[in-house]
Amino acid sequence: MMDEEHKVNEEDIFFIRVPDNEKANYEYLSVNMPHVKSYSFTEDEAWFLMTLFDRFNKKFGILIDLYEDDYIKPEHLSEAIEMTKAFAAENAGCPFDDAIKRFTEAAELALANQVWLIFDF
């Protein structure tokens, strides 16, 4: 169950999901998600974060865009978090600070759980 802070409303259309454990990675693939925490982002937030996601694409050889689902593997999460912190510093004080913080929280939870960070777009 999602907490109030990450409650989905009609405006939120892009999701980043974090399974509770490795088994939940596969629950997500079967669309059974009781053990998956969801973070929602508006379209404007997702477009803003695409600059960061493009950096992940180049670094990790993946394809995150607003029309594809992809994920960052646990072994790349520490580096992705460092890249996110640098991105946050570059954009300090911007209108999307909250989106950067939510994304950072999701990435840190995925690292703590040692699971995929799933871009469910």
Side-chain angles (χ1 to χ4, degrees), residues 97-112:
D97 279 345
D98 186 57
I100 297 169
K101 288 177 186 170
R102 279 195 325 278
F103 178 76
T104 302
E105 180 184 324
E108 289 174 342
L109 180 60
L111 178 62

Side-chain angles (χ1 to χ4, degrees), residues 17-88:
R17 306 201 194 265
V18 181
D20 289 344
N21 53 48
E22 189 174 344
K23 180 181 177 193
N25 281 337
Y26 300 99
E27 288 178 357
Y28 164 77
L29 292 175
S30 69
V31 191
N32 177 13
M33 300 188 293
H35 302 287
V36 177
K37 182 168 182 160
S38 296
Y39 295 83
S40 58
F41 295 85
T42 66
E43 185 174 9
D44 288 343
E45 290 171 331
W47 275 112
F48 172 77
L49 291 170
M50 280 308 301
T51 301
L52 174 62
F53 300 162
D54 285 340
R55 294 175 188 180
F56 295 156
N57 289 340
K58 291 175 186 156
K59 183 69 178 177
F60 306 125
I62 56 180
L63 178 59
I64 302 166
D65 69 19
L66 298 186
Y67 308 102
E68 299 286 336
D69 296 346
D70 211 333
Y71 57 90
I72 297 177
K73 295 177 182 179
E75 57 266 24
H76 297 297
L77 288 169
S78 290
E79 191 169 3
I81 291 167
E82 290 305 313
M83 293 169 71
T84 302
K85 288 178 181 178
F87 181 77

Side-chain angles (χ1 to χ4, degrees), residues 2-20:
M2 284 185 264
D3 58 30
E4 287 299 311
E5 182 180 343
H6 299 107
K7 193 173 191 176
V8 177
N9 64 49
E10 290 180 24
E11 183 182 343
D12 296 323
I13 54 175
F14 298 95
F15 299 94
I16 295 185
R17 306 201 194 265
V18 181
D20 289 344

